[in-house]
Amino acid sequence: MGEQENNKIGGSGNDNAMAVDEAGAGAAANKGKSLGAADPRLQAISDAIRVVPHFPKPGIEARGFIFGPAIALAIGAKFIPLRKPKKLPGEVFSESYVLEYGMDCLEMHVGAIEPGERVVVVDDLVATGGTLSAAIRLLERAGANVVECACLIGLPKFKDFYKLNGKPVYILVESRK
């Protein structure tokens, strides 16, 4: 993960964090390229992902929280959920953004990030990059140093676009058409 070794997130220090948006999940791959065809294990992951036409639809969300806390634990980072409005208790601040099908918003707890903390944003799916861009903006407003983004699935329209707000984006598999 990361273009330079000194950007690697890990260890048990207090300056490491991982933010996962409400559909967050995934793991980093090589330099932003899908490895689905190169590795039979990744091809098996790709083959096991069900394609749901016309997704997203109301009421289906947060499937990535299955992966986020485990990834944070594995790299020695804290887990910071980024959620849709009114899903987090307590004081939050938000970032609105435009999606291809309308507007949306992400929220994060006030005080979840200490200024200067290094953050990896993890999401389950990247299509246009709208949600990831909003997550980066939200975290940077809180003082975080966003290092990179990692996504489980990249849609074909995101292909060859592996930087977002100047941050590298790593995709494990590309979706089937």
Side-chain angles (χ1 to χ4, degrees):
M1 291 173 93
E3 294 186 315
Q4 298 176 3
E5 192 59 29
N6 64 356
N7 281 343
K8 188 172 182 182
I9 299 293
S12 59
N14 291 332
D15 64 343
N16 297 320
M18 180 171 91
V20 177
D21 86 5
E22 94 167 41
N30 287 342
K31 296 289 181 185
K33 294 181 181 161
S34 171
L35 297 179
D39 185 325
R41 296 170 299 175
L42 295 180
Q43 186 61 51
I45 292 169
S46 181
D47 291 345
I49 296 170
R50 184 175 67 134
V51 176
V52 180
H54 309 294
F55 184 82
K57 59 185 182 180
I60 296 176
E61 62 172 78
R63 60 198 175 267
F65 281 110
I66 296 168
F67 302 101
I71 293 169
L73 181 64
I75 66 172
K78 66 182 178 183
F79 172 73
I80 301 164
L82 305 182
R83 301 291 315 266
K84 297 228 173 149
K86 300 181 176 42
K87 299 284 185 179
L88 293 172
E91 188 178 358
V92 298
F93 63 106
S94 62
E95 181 73 33
S96 294
Y97 59 103
V98 177
L99 293 170
E100 60 187 291
Y101 52 85
M103 293 287 295
D104 218 332
C105 183
L106 286 177
E107 292 184 342
M108 180 176 82
H109 282 119
V110 170
I113 295 282
E114 296 294 323
E117 278 189 298
R118 296 174 46 175
V119 176
V120 174
V121 179
V122 179
D123 202 349
D124 68 332
L125 178 101
V126 61
T128 65
T131 304
L132 285 178
S133 289
I136 292 168
R137 288 191 308 272
L138 182 64
L139 289 158
E140 288 179 343
R141 279 184 32 222
N145 173 15
V146 178
V147 176
E148 59 194 20
C149 302
C151 297
L152 180 63
I153 305 166
L155 294 185
K157 64 176 112 179
F158 194 76
K159 189 176 176 134
D160 300 326
F161 181 55
Y162 296 109
K163 282 206 179 261
L164 202 56
N165 296 21
K167 311 298 180 195
V169 177
Y170 299 90
I171 297 172
L172 186 62
V173 296
E174 288 182 355
S175 76
R176 299 181 307 265
K177 294 182 180 179

